[in-house]
Amino acid sequence: MDEKTTHSGELETDIPIIPPSEIKALEEQELKEKREAETSDSTEESVIYWQQTDHVPAKLSDLKKVLKEVIGLGVSFDVVFREMNFAGRNAGLLFLNGFTNDAIVTDILTRLTYLTPEDVSNQALTEMMTRYIPHVQVERDTRLSKVINEVLSGICALFIEDAHSAILLDTRKYPVRGLEEPAVERVVRGARDGFTETLVTNVNLVRRRVRDPGLHVEVMKVGRRTRTDVCLLFIDDIVDRTQVEAIRRKIQEVDLEGLPIGDKQLEEAIVNKGWHPFPLVRYSERPDVVSSHLLEGRIVVMVDTSPSVMIMPTTFLDLCMHAEENRQTPFMGTYLRWIRFLGIFASMFLLPLWMLLVVHPELKPPGLDIIGPQENAKIPIILQFMIVEFGVDLLRLAAVHTPTPLASAMGLIAAILIGDIAVKTGLFVNEVVLYMAVASIGMYATPSYELGLANRMVRLLLLLATALFAVKGFVIGTTLLILLLTTHRSYNSSYLWPFIPFSAKAMGEILFRKPLLMSRRRPSINKTRDNTKMGSEMNPRGEH
């Protein structure tokens, strides 16, 4: 190091000066390494990582640095931080431009621009929130992670310099489609509105039908990254509170990154955690169906971004019910219910029974000699069924992915070119195609799409068991199915109720659609606190 003598006789050391460009490069390299080293699993961990505390910074300049690293301010085009000055104080408005109602925000900002320094004291943020912001839903928070999470859900956050907190303004405007009738649960007569992907809209559809003060709507956040809104609905003075607490606790204990697929992922996390094919919850997209189940003492779980909701607990026979039965007279409703039961039975047992009678003709009852193939085909019966089963599933998948204008053409190809020609060439016999068509119709007549798919798997396994072990295979397979459904439980409720355990009165309610005024009590399986539907002064005929 060079040294030289000053006028005072002291030695002066030449200290090397680092250029500003190199200093900036070193800071950028350090910042890059810090970004790459971050392993935060939540917003709170990320905020603490970048500023060692979860409090809102006093200076807006420090706030912007943290927001840049945590929420992508300046990187994501939809993250906006609007800096302004109100009453002589620097302020900043943080929001997502796609979720914000511009008209409401403009009205609030216009009112704040009229303020002068004389209008506010040292407690500027408190006075603005309580006196000068004309909005309904306003709150204050000092945790920056909470503020960022609320902004990501569509809320605006107003920061005032040196205030150490933020004002949260609920000015959300979510993209939403119009109300349409659900495609799976259509009715001939009845309401045409169905749930959408917006949670608030779905809750309002239920509130419109159930104007009961006891209807509780609890909201929870699920997912460390997605922060998905999950809503729990129940009527407090009817529902079993022990069951509500069990479901609430399971939802709160879910530890996942998120629920991007919605209600189905939540179901697997809290209810059906194994490989069981039968559904343990009932899905519905109809507000009237959900409202009727709430009045019966059921619990409803809604997930934001999902147009269907979960109803718990449920049973096998409950999944076989449809809203159309209650839109007709009791006599016609009972008739439709029986037709649906026959279709569901055919979808599970028609093909195994027919194949059993074909393999063992001696089992045919007298007068049913027409059952069975009148001519043989080139392929064994069981292989014909397997090919047709997989072919129907392939056509179903193709129908889902086929554009609507081409759906008719695909149906003609399946019916004429595949089915008819396969029979004429001798690959299949006519009865295989006929009974498979009946079983498929029964599967699609099942109100619950998930139950229909599970019944299809039962049919497939019964076919294999019958082909391998004949009568023993069919009997043992059916017995194992009943045992499986009996041991299957939906939140401590028997899945085959009221068949197992048997309840004659409840079974009558299942088999017959009773008139409204004769159905006076709620299902006992729900363990409701109040099991009476009608007032004590009304008799079964509806007379006071």
Side-chain angles (χ1 to χ4, degrees):
M1 184 177 294
D2 297 334
E3 297 180 353
K4 60 182 180 179
T5 305
T6 63
H7 294 288
S8 60
E10 298 178 352
L11 293 177
E12 181 179 330
T13 304
D14 291 335
I15 300 177
I17 300 176
I18 302 176
S21 59
E22 294 185 11
I23 297 177
K24 184 177 180 181
L26 290 174
E27 292 177 350
E28 291 180 353
Q29 180 63 26
E30 183 181 354
L31 183 60
K32 181 179 179 181
E33 293 176 355
K34 187 175 181 179
R35 288 172 179 168
E36 293 176 352
E38 183 180 4
T39 57
S40 303
D41 286 334
S42 64
T43 307
E44 182 179 359
E45 291 181 9
S46 181
V47 171
I48 296 176
Y49 178 81
W50 286 103
Q51 68 169 12
Q52 288 74 49
T53 180
D54 194 20
H55 295 296
V56 174
K59 301 299 181 182
L60 294 183
S61 57
D62 297 334
L63 175 64
K64 289 193 294 183
K65 291 180 181 178
V66 178
L67 294 178
K68 179 180 179 181
E69 303 300 335
V70 177
I71 199 176
L73 179 63
V75 179
S76 301
F77 77 94
D78 60 336
V79 180
V80 181
F81 189 77
R82 177 77 163 85
E83 294 188 66
M84 294 157 288
N85 188 284
F86 301 127
R89 296 178 179 269
N90 293 328
L93 186 68
L94 179 66
F95 60 93
L96 299 180
N97 59 11
F99 287 163
T100 304
N101 191 322
D102 298 339
I104 296 177
V105 174
T106 302
D107 288 342
I108 295 174
L109 296 182
T110 301
R111 183 180 180 90
L112 293 178
T113 56
Y114 295 145
L115 297 180
T116 63
E118 291 76 18
D119 295 329
V120 295
S121 62
N122 294 330
Q123 302 294 329
L125 188 138
T126 302
E127 293 190 3
M128 286 183 182
M129 184 177 70
T130 57
R131 298 173 59 185
Y132 300 115
I133 295 182
H135 193 58
V136 178
Q137 295 180 329
V138 182
E139 62 177 301
R140 178 178 179 177
D141 208 295
T142 60
R143 296 166 296 172
L144 184 57
S145 61
K146 171 69 179 304
V147 173
I148 292 177
N149 285 331
E150 295 294 343
V151 169
L152 291 175
S153 68
I155 288 179
C156 290
L158 179 62
F159 300 90
I160 305 296
E161 196 148 34
D162 298 323
H164 298 281
S165 59
I167 300 177
L168 299 176
L169 309 169
D170 192 348
T171 58
R172 286 177 283 197
K173 181 188 65 175
Y174 285 142
V176 58
R177 63 180 174 91
L179 302 181
E180 300 174 356
E181 184 179 10
V184 180
E185 300 175 276
R186 292 183 180 274
V187 294
V188 178
R189 294 181 62 251
R192 304 298 178 186
D193 55 344
F195 291 130
T196 67
E197 289 77 13
T198 306
L199 182 64
V200 176
T201 302
N202 296 343
V203 172
N204 290 337
L205 289 175
V206 176
R207 284 280 190 188
R208 183 181 180 186
R209 290 170 168 82
V210 183
R211 301 175 183 179
D212 192 308
L215 178 61
H216 288 193
V217 182
E218 300 181 7
V219 176
M220 293 165 279
K221 302 282 187 181
V222 178
R224 296 188 302 270
R225 296 187 181 275
T226 61
R227 305 287 299 172
T228 305
D229 291 321
V230 176
C231 192
L232 196 65
L233 286 84
F234 56 91
I235 299 180
D236 185 60
D237 55 333
I238 296 179
V239 74
D240 179 15
R241 291 182 178 176
T242 303
Q243 202 167 62
V244 173
E245 180 59 31
I247 296 176
R248 182 193 295 117
R249 184 176 63 253
K250 286 194 174 184
I251 295 176
Q252 292 173 344
E253 292 175 353
V254 172
D255 185 17
L256 296 171
E257 282 194 334
L259 302 174
I261 300 181
D263 49 6
K264 185 58 184 176
Q265 287 183 318
L266 183 64
E267 179 205 347
E268 292 186 14
I270 67 173
V271 184
N272 201 348
K273 301 180 181 180
W275 291 87
H276 204 291
F278 285 90
L280 285 177
V281 301
R282 177 174 180 174
Y283 286 99
S284 179
E285 298 182 26
R286 296 189 62 90
D288 51 356
V289 172
V290 171
S291 300
S292 63
H293 279 86
L294 284 172
L295 292 174
E296 288 183 352
R298 305 288 173 93
I299 303 167
V300 174
V301 177
M302 294 183 177
V303 181
D304 194 24
T305 72
S306 295
S308 57
V309 305
M310 295 184 289
I311 303 173
M312 296 182 285
T314 191
T315 64
F316 181 89
L317 294 176
D318 186 50
L319 293 170
C320 300
M321 304 298 174
H322 193 271
E324 179 65 23
E325 300 158 5
N326 296 308
R327 293 290 180 179
Q328 306 300 328
T329 61
F331 181 86
M332 293 308 303
T334 302
Y335 170 76
L336 295 176
R337 186 173 293 182
W338 275 84
I339 292 296
R340 185 171 290 110
F341 286 160
L342 290 176
I344 295 173
F345 180 86
S347 69
M348 300 174 64
F349 299 106
L350 178 62
L351 299 187
L353 281 173
W354 181 81
M355 191 175 69
L356 182 63
L357 296 180
V358 170
V359 177
H360 294 275
E362 67 276 7
L363 298 176
K364 294 181 183 179
L368 294 180
D369 295 333
I370 59 173
I371 296 179
Q374 305 302 320
E375 56 185 25
N376 296 325
K378 300 177 182 179
I379 302 178
I381 292 293
I382 182 60
L383 190 56
Q384 292 182 44
F385 276 126
M386 293 296 104
I387 294 175
V388 175
E389 284 276 5
F390 296 139
V392 169
D393 279 341
L394 186 62
L395 290 173
R396 178 176 58 84
L397 294 176
V400 173
H401 303 296
T402 302
T404 304
L406 302 179
S408 300
M410 192 198 69
L412 292 175
I413 293 174
I416 299 176
L417 298 183
I418 296 180
D420 187 50
I421 295 178
V423 172
K424 289 182 178 179
T425 55
L427 296 177
F428 298 147
V429 297
N430 292 325
E431 286 87 346
V432 169
V433 178
L434 172 64
Y435 293 133
M436 186 65 218
V438 175
S440 298
I441 293 174
M443 184 184 75
Y444 291 120
T446 307
S448 172
Y449 181 69
E450 294 77 16
L451 181 63
L453 292 179
N455 291 342
R456 179 211 168 278
M457 292 303 301
V458 170
R459 179 176 72 237
L460 191 61
L461 294 177
L462 286 179
L463 279 172
L464 292 174
T466 304
L468 294 175
F469 306 105
V471 178
K472 293 181 180 179
F474 180 80
V475 173
I476 294 176
T478 305
T479 303
L480 290 177
L481 171 64
I482 296 176
L483 290 176
L484 179 67
L485 296 180
T486 303
T487 57
H488 205 36
R489 304 189 71 81
S490 174
Y491 271 100
N492 204 29
S493 300
S494 176
Y495 199 61
L496 281 185
W497 182 89
F499 181 64
I500 300 176
F502 185 75
S503 172
K505 185 176 181 179
M507 199 66 188
E509 296 273 353
I510 296 292
L511 296 178
F512 302 96
R513 209 285 272 178
K514 289 186 176 181
L516 175 64
L517 299 182
M518 293 182 62
S519 180
R520 299 175 56 85
R521 295 190 178 274
R522 299 183 175 91
S524 60
I525 191 176
N526 298 331
K527 304 178 180 64
T528 56
R529 301 171 60 208
D530 179 9
N531 63 350
T532 304
K533 289 184 179 181
M534 301 180 185
S536 58
E537 298 180 357
M538 181 174 288
N539 60 29
R541 293 187 179 183
E543 300 172 352
H544 291 276

